[in-house]
Amino acid sequence: MSEVRVAGVGLTPFGNVPERTSRDLFGQASIEAFDKSGVARSDVDGVLYGNFMGELSEHQGHQGPLMAEAAGVQAPATRYESACASSGVAVADAVKRIRNGEDDVLLVGGAERMTNLGTAGATEALAIAADDLWEVRAGTTFPGAYALMAQAYFETYGGEHADLAHIAVKNHDNALENEKAQYQRAIEVEDVLEAPQVSSPLGLYDSCPISDGAAALVLTSESYAEEHDIDAPVAITGTGQGGDRMALHDRDYLARSPAAREAGEEAYSDAGIDANDIDFAEVHDCFTIAEVLAIEALDIESIGEGITAARDGRTTADGETPINLSGGLKAKGHPVGATGASQIAEVTSLLADEHANSDAVPDATTALAHNAGGTVASATVHVLEVVE
């Protein structure tokens, strides 16, 4: 199998830019990715693009060819939709295509335009990632769904809101020097605990923001990189995808994430490593409780112990395994179709010593990115390693 190299990455700043279209955002991210990669657009074999709510926010379907055009690429293009895991799934498919020799160069990424819908409109649009018949019609929103998961966790393993608050504080601290992050400001535990409640026990600062933004990756085969003298020292060495029942009431667990565990085990096996080899990780912290469930599912923390990881310093920037050095979805932002690819971009930059927070992990060689859809009915995990 061909090794998959990350030749170039591009990110727009994440934030509130309702006047900008998805094609505009993805075009910008693609320019940065191509400029960094040294890869000619004419060499691209295909475009794999993640987007969740384009039909709702921009009245735009059939987005694959549109985004290829925005990126200046003439190649077959496909849009991937798996809720918030849309571009994570696109990356997983791209890895398989390059490995099996079908393609040498792929442009992979995603974008989302959300803030033009307003808070109520975006919340309603996001809700379609849940089970419409049994959850949405009953009034369930994602803050409410993750609040149920947090309540189940507290009841099963213990913990309190203050433990979650430390996760929010940590991720805001990590975003301070990230120029692409939506929130570059520090908060305190008291700020989290005193913020307006959204759905008990989760408050405003337990929740990621509504965001606009895009991410793009230029992925190549090892042979292409060598033949064209491309400087691409980071490779995607493991990939996995997992799934779970859509509706919470149909699941065996509310306080665990089987889809993430399945994806993680597959990715670890694929890369020939285990969780002990991970130097740092970017995980899908759409709500603070989601980070807890993710690091436990990925065996970075034992079941029932992830709740104290940030409070006790195990996952802070100077901890044993830093989590979300980018600021995570919580502070960096969450334009849902872009998130999975953006995590790969952040991990690549951190490993290549090109990130504002690379100093936190100066000797890192192995990391992972975990992307989830809905209440983790879908999940992808990718292992990235320095190979040169």
Side-chain angles (χ1 to χ4, degrees):
M1 293 190 300
S2 178
E3 192 172 69
V4 180
R5 298 295 184 90
V6 185
V9 303
L11 292 171
T12 67
F14 286 4
N16 186 337
V17 285
E19 71 282 359
R20 297 191 65 185
T21 63
S22 292
R23 73 183 81 184
D24 178 27
L25 293 165
F26 189 67
Q28 177 183 343
S30 298
I31 288 171
E32 182 180 356
F34 279 115
D35 285 350
K36 288 181 177 179
S37 72
V39 172
R41 286 172 170 80
S42 57
D43 286 349
V44 174
D45 298 309
V47 177
L48 289 71
Y49 172 78
N51 176 268
F52 173 54
M53 62 172 66
E55 290 86 350
L56 299 177
S57 65
E58 298 186 286
H59 196 64
Q60 182 65 63
H62 199 198
Q63 295 181 41
L66 190 68
M67 298 307 163
E69 181 180 349
V73 171
Q74 181 63 48
T78 304
R79 181 258 191 106
Y80 288 73
E81 189 279 300
S82 190
C84 309
S86 294
S87 58
V89 172
V91 172
D93 205 21
V95 169
K96 295 172 186 176
R97 286 171 55 166
I98 292 175
R99 280 181 171 179
N100 68 22
E102 180 181 348
D103 299 301
D104 274 317
V105 180
L106 293 171
L107 175 63
V108 191
E112 208 74 67
R113 184 185 184 193
M114 302 173 68
T115 64
N116 62 309
L117 294 174
T119 300
T123 301
E124 183 178 358
L126 288 166
I128 68 170
D131 186 322
D132 181 73
L133 184 60
W134 297 109
E135 294 181 308
V136 179
R137 297 185 191 187
T140 301
T141 62
F142 279 105
Y146 275 92
L148 290 173
M149 297 162 81
Q151 291 170 12
Y153 188 98
F154 290 167
E155 291 172 3
T156 305
Y157 304 114
E160 59 185 10
H161 190 200
D163 296 316
L164 298 178
H166 283 276
I167 296 171
V169 170
K170 168 183 69 69
N171 292 345
H172 273 260
D173 284 346
N174 289 342
L176 287 174
E177 302 301 323
N178 186 352
E179 64 180 6
K180 302 299 178 70
Q182 185 163 350
Y183 293 139
Q184 298 171 51
R185 63 174 183 266
I187 60 173
E188 304 294 337
V189 169
E190 292 73 19
D191 296 323
V192 182
L193 299 179
E194 295 172 5
Q197 190 173 85
V198 177
S199 185
S200 180
L202 305 179
L204 183 64
Y205 283 122
D206 291 286
S207 312
C208 70
I210 295 168
S211 313
D212 306 309
L217 315 169
V218 177
L219 304 183
T220 75
S221 64
E222 180 182 15
S223 60
Y224 178 94
E226 291 176 350
E227 180 182 347
H228 293 81
D229 196 27
I230 300 297
D231 182 21
V234 177
I236 301 175
T237 59
T239 187
Q241 185 171 348
D244 200 355
R245 292 178 178 272
M246 184 83 148
L248 288 180
H249 64 262
D250 285 330
R251 298 187 186 175
D252 294 330
Y253 306 101
L254 289 186
R256 296 191 189 184
S257 183
R261 177 166 293 278
E262 179 183 356
E265 289 175 349
E266 184 179 350
Y268 289 149
S269 176
D270 192 29
I273 67 167
D274 61 32
N276 293 322
D277 297 309
I278 297 298
D279 295 311
F280 66 90
E282 289 287 313
V283 306
H284 196 96
D285 62 323
C286 49
F287 297 91
T288 49
I289 187 61
E291 179 168 310
V292 176
L293 299 179
I295 60 178
E296 292 186 0
L298 298 169
D299 285 332
I300 294 170
E301 288 283 329
S302 299
I303 298 296
E305 295 183 6
I307 190 68
T308 61
R311 185 192 68 190
D312 293 344
R314 298 192 298 277
T315 54
T316 55
D318 59 354
E320 180 180 347
T321 309
I323 301 295
N324 287 330
L325 284 169
S326 70
L329 285 62
K330 173 65 199 74
K332 179 189 168 187
H334 183 30
V336 293
T339 290
S342 78
Q343 293 173 315
I344 301 290
E346 296 283 5
V347 169
T348 299
S349 297
L350 284 158
L351 286 172
D353 195 26
E354 296 174 350
H355 194 281
N357 289 332
S358 288
D359 288 348
V361 284
D363 301 316
T365 60
T366 307
L368 70 74
H370 156 266
N371 187 204
T375 47
V376 204
S378 304
T380 62
V381 173
H382 297 94
V383 175
L384 289 85
E385 298 183 71
V386 177
V387 293
E388 298 185 347

